Amino acid sequence: MTDSPSLTTPLDPKEQPILDRLLATRDKLSLLKQDRSTYIKSQDVLDLYEQVIEQVHLLNIIREEHDKPLEQNRVDNVLDDCFQLISLFFLTIGRNNEAPAVYSMTSTIRRLLDHLKEAAFYSPKDLESAGQALDSMQVTLKRGEESHSPHLLKLLRNRLDTCRQLLSALQLSLADLSLELTPTYERLVSILRSISAANTRQKFPSGEVQGFQDQLREIQATMVDGKFLAENSTTPAGQNVATELLNRCLKWSDIVLERQGNIDERFKPTYEKLCSIRNHLEKLSITQAWSLRETDLYDYQRQLDRIDESRVNGNFEDSLGNKADLHAQRTLLYLIRRSYAYIYTLIISSEPVSEALLPVFNQLQTLRRCLLEVKRSGGVSSSRELYPYSMKLHSIDDMRIDGKFMVGADIPEGQGSVNSLLAECFDLNYELRVEAEENDSPES
């Protein structure tokens, strides 16, 4: 396993035993992640988590003694790997609402916010989503004050504070954007991203990109004397922000149409690797409920981290140190950002249910969607039509022992979520049956 990033700060000899133990723990976490023969058990994860926390405590003591609380070396690299894996394991076992689960999300949001700042274009909705995620994580940390190590909580609070500072700076950049100009600005953001997505298709869609460019020309044609006007013909605030983005969109569309999806050969291996990562994550986002084990995201995160950190002063360079041209630079950065965005979406949409219960949970979600659709379409003409749903619900209900879904002698996490969903499905089925019977009655 490769550390990311690589740090060369000299290591204090007293930290070597800590590094050795963390490396051993990371190996155990990695082996546990790869084991597909059974589901991940909570106790296995908690034991490894406690081992990592113990090493954090020892590390803090050593660094406080030497007055080096902000030291960064290989120990910190491996520690980050351990926390990243443990965080994803907490999601896998369904303990999404506990403090350790926050770690991986802070890493991903930090990456996304850094990239938004670098790209210098984003919509208010992007920032709103990040803000809501940070607020949710703050609540999780508050809830965990009595049950988790203060060392971990302090680390997570610092990571959240860093994300909030980045978010505040990004919000400030859009502070001058008026409400009247916001719809136009958001449309420009959407078009720019759509052009970038088309630019990375296996077969370049010239007509589609030309269509986006035509939309940009239409937006440009609405300007009067180089300014966007509101409906009452006034000049709303935020002209520079919107105009700069429009010009950027037009320039990018020209470059993309000229290159026709052909990237500089020097950067093609990196491009193909990023396309592969993006495509795998996109597929996971579609089949997530049935195929995702959250710990699988770790390998994608680390691959992206290494590519992202290989840049020199923000630029991709070839083996001779020559910088990538604008087309290659923006194309590679788009793929990195899109991949991080998929990881973000996969993490926040993770259900608080152990993977052991996911098959049942997913079946119930499907049943719920079907029953809601039947209800929306006017119900059923006869209670007999509900027979397949009733049979399936009762077969799932019969799996419970004393009200719990068991796997062997284990009681996996997520019992509340699964039982709540089962009860909701029974209620929907009952409402539909009563309605059908009322319609069938002689009085009606």
Side-chain angles (χ1 to χ4, degrees):
M1 189 180 294
T2 306
D3 296 336
S4 177
S6 297
L7 294 174
T8 56
T9 307
L11 185 64
D12 186 319
K14 289 186 178 180
E15 293 185 12
Q16 187 62 48
I18 294 175
L19 174 60
D20 293 340
R21 286 190 286 269
L22 286 174
L23 285 168
T25 302
R26 188 180 70 174
D27 289 343
K28 292 176 186 176
L29 287 164
S30 182
L31 289 171
L32 187 61
K33 176 176 76 72
Q34 295 167 22
D35 184 5
R36 294 280 181 171
S37 62
T38 183
Y39 75 96
I40 304 295
K41 297 179 177 61
S42 295
Q43 196 55 52
D44 293 339
V45 176
L46 293 175
D47 289 344
L48 293 168
Y49 165 64
E50 291 298 334
Q51 291 176 27
V52 173
I53 291 299
E54 182 182 354
Q55 300 312 307
V56 171
H57 179 59
L58 295 174
L59 183 63
N60 287 341
I61 292 174
I62 291 172
R63 291 187 175 174
E64 286 170 7
E65 286 176 353
H66 293 79
D67 196 24
K68 295 187 296 182
L70 302 179
E71 172 105 13
Q72 289 288 309
N73 57 45
R74 191 167 179 236
V75 174
D76 301 274
N77 281 10
V78 180
L79 186 59
D80 178 59
D81 285 338
C82 290
F83 273 132
Q84 197 80 7
L85 280 165
I86 284 170
S87 180
L88 293 170
F89 269 119
F90 265 71
L91 297 177
T92 303
I93 63 176
R95 303 180 78 148
N96 304 41
N97 299 319
E98 296 192 28
V102 167
Y103 191 94
S104 184
M105 178 57 94
T106 60
S107 300
T108 304
I109 288 187
R110 170 68 187 271
R111 293 278 179 181
L112 283 171
L113 293 176
D114 280 336
H115 276 283
L116 289 179
K117 181 179 179 181
E118 181 182 29
F121 78 90
Y122 39 86
S123 74
K125 291 178 182 177
D126 296 330
L127 305 186
E128 183 181 345
S129 174
Q132 289 173 350
L134 292 174
D135 290 342
S136 176
M137 288 188 280
Q138 195 78 50
V139 172
T140 299
L141 295 191
K142 182 70 176 175
R143 191 190 304 119
E145 287 179 350
E146 300 299 323
S147 54
H148 288 283
S149 162
H151 303 292
L152 173 68
L153 294 173
K154 181 179 179 181
L155 171 66
L156 292 173
R157 287 194 192 99
N158 290 340
R159 292 168 71 87
L160 278 181
D161 288 344
T162 300
C163 290
R164 287 199 182 278
Q165 290 169 11
L166 277 168
L167 180 62
S168 296
L170 293 172
Q171 290 169 332
L172 187 61
S173 298
L174 293 183
D176 294 333
L177 186 65
S178 62
L179 290 175
E180 294 89 346
L181 261 185
T182 297
T184 300
Y185 180 85
E186 289 183 339
R187 187 181 174 195
L188 289 171
V189 170
S190 176
I191 291 173
L192 184 53
R193 288 175 175 167
S194 296
I195 293 172
S196 295
N199 177 51
T200 59
R201 297 260 186 87
Q202 192 168 11
K203 184 178 181 181
F204 183 74
S206 298
E208 189 176 326
V209 177
Q210 186 62 61
F212 291 131
Q213 192 175 66
D214 292 342
Q215 291 181 43
L216 294 171
R217 299 293 183 195
E218 291 171 6
I219 293 172
Q220 188 179 40
T222 65
M223 301 174 72
V224 178
D225 296 329
K227 296 184 183 297
F228 291 99
L229 299 182
E231 289 184 3
N232 60 3
S233 299
T234 58
T235 305
Q239 295 290 324
N240 290 340
V241 178
T243 304
E244 183 181 338
L245 183 55
L246 173 61
N247 292 333
R248 181 172 181 178
C249 288
L250 288 166
K251 181 179 180 181
W252 182 230
S253 65
D254 286 336
I255 293 172
V256 169
L257 283 169
E258 179 186 348
R259 296 298 291 268
Q260 295 285 301
N262 296 314
I263 196 164
D264 188 326
E265 286 293 330
R266 296 174 299 158
F267 299 96
K268 200 155 189 179
T270 303
Y271 171 78
E272 290 175 346
K273 185 174 184 179
L274 285 171
C275 279
S276 176
I277 293 172
R278 189 271 312 267
N279 293 342
H280 277 108
L281 289 169
E282 183 178 26
K283 184 178 179 181
L284 277 177
S285 71
I286 297 170
T287 62
Q288 174 190 11
W290 303 97
S291 62
L292 177 68
R293 174 184 270 189
E294 283 82 357
T295 49
D296 294 341
L297 297 176
Y298 175 82
D299 293 329
Y300 295 115
Q301 286 176 323
R302 284 307 186 228
Q303 289 179 69
L304 289 169
D305 293 347
R306 287 194 286 273
I307 294 172
D308 197 15
E309 289 157 8
S310 69
R311 295 188 287 155
V312 180
N313 296 324
N315 297 303
F316 288 97
E317 294 185 354
D318 63 15
S319 56
L320 300 177
N322 299 310
K323 295 179 182 177
D325 61 20
L326 185 61
H327 177 260
Q329 176 78 6
R330 287 191 179 177
T331 300
L332 297 176
L333 285 176
Y334 165 77
L335 288 168
I336 290 176
R337 291 165 188 154
R338 191 75 191 103
S339 297
Y340 278 128
Y342 275 127
I343 291 173
Y344 170 79
T345 302
L346 289 165
I347 290 176
I348 63 172
S349 56
S350 172
E351 298 286 354
V353 175
S354 166
E355 65 173 352
L357 294 185
L358 274 180
V360 173
F361 185 78
N362 292 334
Q363 289 177 55
L364 287 171
Q365 282 194 313
T366 302
L367 275 170
R368 178 179 176 274
R369 282 194 294 268
C370 291
L371 290 167
L372 285 172
E373 186 57 38
V374 170
K375 189 174 183 179
R376 275 193 292 267
S377 62
V380 293
S381 57
S382 167
S383 58
R384 293 189 193 91
E385 295 177 38
L386 294 172
Y387 185 73
Y389 302 111
S390 299
M391 285 290 291
K392 185 62 181 176
L393 285 172
H394 283 293
S395 70
I396 292 176
D397 190 32
D398 289 343
M399 294 168 61
R400 296 192 294 175
I401 300 174
D402 296 330
K404 297 182 178 64
F405 289 93
M406 308 282 287
V407 178
D410 297 325
I411 305 175
E413 303 285 345
Q415 298 288 327
S417 297
V418 180
N419 281 317
S420 175
L421 191 54
L422 177 61
E424 185 181 356
C425 288
F426 268 119
D427 288 343
L428 283 168
N429 194 57
Y430 176 75
E431 290 170 12
L432 287 166
R433 188 174 75 249
V434 169
E435 186 178 331
E437 290 172 350
E438 286 176 351
N439 292 335
D440 281 344
S441 68
E443 291 180 5
S444 63

